[in-house]
Amino acid sequence: MPTYGQIKRQIDLNPFAILMLRNELKALPEIIREDEYIDASVHGYWNNRHALLLATTQRILLVDSDAQGDVEVIEFPYDNTVTVRCPTPDSVVFGTETRKIKIDNTIEEYIAGFYKVVKDRLEGKVPQIYRERDIYSEGKEEQQGFSEQPQQEQGSNPFHVLLKGLDGITKMINPDVRVSQSDKTAEKPTAHSQPAEPEKTLDELLAELNALIGLQDVKDEVSSLVNVLKVEKIRKEQGIKVPERSLHMVFHGNPGTGKTTIARLLARIFKALGVLSKGHLYETDRSGLVAGYTGQTSLKTMEVCQKAKGGILFIDEAYALNTDDTYGPEAVNTIVKFMEDHRHDFVVIVAGYEEKMTEFINSNPGLHSRFNKYIGFKDYTPEEILEIFLIQAQKVQLKVDEAARKKAYKLFKKLYEGRDASFGNGRLARNVFEKTYEKQANRLVKEGVEKADISMIKEADIPVMED
């Protein structure tokens, strides 16, 4: 698996994008394959939130995270089912006939580079791109990249990202300018590898679960399941038989309600209980399972299942596999067989809207007999969304004054009362915070950065619905 340092030398993003995409960037070592390189990187907006778009040597990747920091990956391999076009200079549309994705409000130079790379790959050409040939070599020092830790001279000033943005603007104006080695003497290389973080105990994982905002019904369901598994573990140790149990689950609810967060915690909890050997979460959707030709889907799906073995396979919008063509059912049948062959070290969680998920489970007898636990994720209340918003501000050392809190609460309450199935929940809190952050920056520049309190979010910084 490539290291964080190896990957970050391939990323070309400005400082503001790096701040907004910190969760997506941290997840890349688990996403990028050992024989895969990043040719182009783009920061844009997808479904009204920040997203990272990558063109690699093997596929197109859309990397996105929710308010809880859970990362979703959508991939499209370079085959004849994929198309790409730029409807405007600052947007790109790509995907297959069954799924199209549009990224908006991007920097035109970056989009142009991404479009050219993808176009060349789809035509079987090798793009002309500058890249260090030994980027994955052992012991190579890191020359440039991104870091979540601020440099010492920046102190605790969150406004430094705007000042650093001048470097990014220079690079955009003249992308051919390269920084000389003498200019980088002040940069401190990081270690090639870092010691692994010690695994948390079961009690620590349960404490992490209970610390999550809202989700009380979900917490109760998970706690009940954990209690059963704890007792069964003791019975097994004493040589007492326990009934066969299916741990495959259906998570249903609107987007942004913490489904991926809970799935990731469950994977680690199951490992702590000895149910799974690795305890990792592998996330995918229809595009990651279905191939372009009949017969290839089962091979692609089997590869995904093998990667998820020992952990949890999390399939978002799983109902998209319930189609009239042969591809979706082929993927489902492959997963069902793998579930049976590896039932003692493989768990599947399918997620999506309640009605569609019920339809999906009932569409295949193999699914219906294996998924007997349904966990519903309710929408966050306005109070809970405000709490998530305040946590987002706290992460970047910003305070929110009382007037701003009241205005944010009124906004969340109004949006909550008029919500539909696409209500953003936790993602709404993150999106509103990002708009707030931008509005605060504009206000500070007008007032004068030296005189203003740059650590305080005020009422004027909170967006209105029209924003």
Side-chain angles (χ1 to χ4, degrees):
M1 183 173 71
T3 67
Y4 185 75
Q6 290 168 339
I7 289 174
K8 75 182 187 180
R9 292 202 299 275
Q10 307 170 57
I11 296 290
D12 185 16
L13 295 172
N14 62 47
F16 179 72
I18 290 167
L19 176 69
M20 292 296 102
L21 298 172
R22 55 193 179 277
N23 292 325
E24 290 84 348
L25 294 169
K26 284 195 298 183
L28 289 183
E30 296 183 6
I31 298 169
I32 301 300
R33 300 162 182 161
E34 288 188 8
D35 58 345
E36 186 175 24
Y37 297 87
I38 297 171
D39 288 336
S41 49
V42 173
H43 162 234
Y45 290 84
W46 177 61
N47 287 348
N48 295 318
R49 59 182 183 268
H50 295 271
L52 174 63
L53 180 60
L54 302 175
T56 77
T57 52
Q58 300 178 12
R59 52 191 170 151
I60 303 170
L61 290 171
L62 176 68
V63 187
D64 171 50
S65 70
D66 60 20
Q68 306 293 340
D70 300 318
V71 175
E72 174 187 4
V73 180
I74 299 174
E75 65 172 342
F76 294 92
Y78 298 121
D79 59 38
N80 61 6
T81 66
V82 176
T83 59
V84 61
R85 62 186 179 89
C86 293
T88 62
D90 65 345
S91 67
V92 62
V93 176
F94 60 93
T96 63
E97 287 188 6
T98 57
R99 183 162 197 181
K100 297 283 187 186
I101 289 177
K102 183 180 181 183
I103 302 295
D104 290 305
N105 299 331
T106 60
I107 297 172
E108 294 181 15
E109 290 84 352
Y110 288 5
I111 276 293
F114 172 86
Y115 175 78
K116 187 179 185 308
V117 166
V118 173
K119 198 73 175 168
D120 285 347
R121 291 290 182 191
L122 292 174
E123 293 174 358
K125 302 175 184 177
V126 178
Q128 296 298 314
I129 295 172
Y130 169 81
R131 184 195 294 116
E132 300 174 64
R133 294 295 178 185
D134 57 346
I135 201 161
Y136 286 168
S137 63
E138 292 294 323
K140 182 173 178 57
E141 290 186 349
E142 297 172 10
Q143 301 297 331
Q144 70 182 74
F146 42 83
S147 171
E148 290 217 80
Q149 300 301 323
Q151 300 298 320
Q152 189 172 1
E153 65 270 20
Q154 293 164 346
S156 60
N157 184 353
F159 200 67
H160 75 268
V161 67
L162 297 180
L163 304 179
K164 282 186 67 181
L166 294 174
D167 295 333
I169 293 172
T170 302
K171 189 171 186 180
M172 283 182 264
I173 295 172
N174 191 355
D176 293 327
V177 174
R178 304 212 183 279
V179 182
S180 67
Q181 294 301 317
S182 60
D183 293 332
K184 295 180 182 178
T185 53
E187 293 187 20
K188 188 176 180 180
T190 58
H192 178 68
S193 60
Q194 298 180 358
E197 184 180 345
E199 291 185 1
K200 292 186 177 181
T201 65
L202 179 60
D203 288 340
E204 288 173 332
L205 292 170
L206 292 176
E208 187 176 333
L209 169 70
N210 290 321
L212 294 175
I213 295 172
L215 304 173
Q216 191 55 53
D217 291 345
V218 176
K219 293 174 185 177
D220 292 342
E221 287 269 10
V222 172
S223 297
S224 177
L225 176 61
V226 168
N227 290 337
V228 171
L229 293 174
K230 285 169 71 174
V231 172
E232 286 188 348
K233 184 180 180 183
I234 295 171
R235 285 176 175 161
K236 287 178 182 178
E237 290 170 352
Q238 296 179 0
I240 302 173
K241 290 184 179 181
V242 297
E244 283 287 333
R245 179 176 299 281
S246 173
L247 295 176
H248 310 300
M249 287 173 255
V250 178
F251 284 3
H252 58 84
N254 289 332
T257 47
K259 295 186 288 293
T260 312
T261 299
I262 296 297
R264 184 172 289 111
L265 268 172
L266 272 176
R268 294 156 67 194
I269 288 171
F270 284 169
K271 185 185 179 185
L273 288 167
V275 175
L276 294 173
S277 60
K278 296 179 182 177
H280 65 293
L281 185 76
Y282 190 96
E283 302 170 52
T284 190
D285 61 4
R286 177 187 166 92
S287 64
L289 299 169
V290 171
Y293 301 97
T294 303
Q296 289 185 332
T297 291
S298 59
L299 297 175
K300 187 176 181 180
T301 303
M302 180 61 71
E303 182 184 353
V304 169
C305 290
Q306 289 288 355
K307 290 178 181 178
K309 185 182 174 185
I312 290 178
L313 174 61
F314 183 85
I315 308 174
D316 195 22
E317 297 179 351
Y319 48 77
L321 295 170
N322 185 21
T323 55
D324 294 331
D325 59 32
T326 60
Y327 304 115
E330 185 180 348
V332 171
N333 291 332
T334 303
I335 293 169
V336 169
K337 186 177 186 308
F338 199 90
M339 290 164 66
E340 181 61 29
D341 294 343
H342 304 276
R343 59 182 177 275
H344 297 302
D345 199 21
F346 181 66
V347 172
V348 178
I349 295 178
V350 291
Y353 298 112
E354 183 174 5
E355 290 183 8
K356 292 184 178 181
M357 291 308 300
T358 302
E359 235 177 81
F360 169 64
I361 296 299
N362 291 334
S363 70
N364 186 296
L367 294 176
H368 189 269
S369 62
R370 288 170 175 82
F371 288 89
N372 51 29
K373 191 166 190 64
Y374 288 69
I375 297 182
F377 288 71
K378 295 180 180 178
D379 289 336
Y380 286 112
T381 65
E383 292 79 8
E384 291 166 344
I385 298 172
L386 176 63
E387 196 173 345
I388 295 171
F389 173 86
L390 295 175
I391 289 173
Q392 292 291 317
Q394 187 180 10
K395 284 181 179 178
V396 289
Q397 298 174 303
L398 289 174
K399 294 173 286 185
V400 183
D401 70 18
E402 189 60 30
R405 289 187 187 214
K406 289 179 179 178
K407 185 177 178 181
Y409 175 75
K410 287 180 180 178
L411 173 63
F412 295 139
K413 190 171 187 292
K414 191 170 185 179
L415 292 171
Y416 178 84
E417 290 171 348
R419 71 192 188 282
D420 56 18
S422 63
F423 183 63
N425 286 288
R427 292 176 185 173
L428 170 64
R430 182 184 176 189
N431 292 339
V432 170
F433 171 72
E434 288 167 357
K435 290 178 181 178
T436 300
Y437 187 89
E438 292 171 9
K439 288 194 71 172
Q440 187 220 30
N442 292 330
R443 175 179 61 80
L444 291 173
V445 170
K446 289 178 183 177
E447 292 178 0
V449 179
E450 300 300 327
K451 300 177 182 178
D453 183 356
I454 61 176
S455 65
M456 181 65 71
I457 291 175
K458 297 185 177 181
E459 183 179 7
D461 303 327
I462 304 297
V464 294
M465 287 187 67
E466 287 73 19
D467 292 340

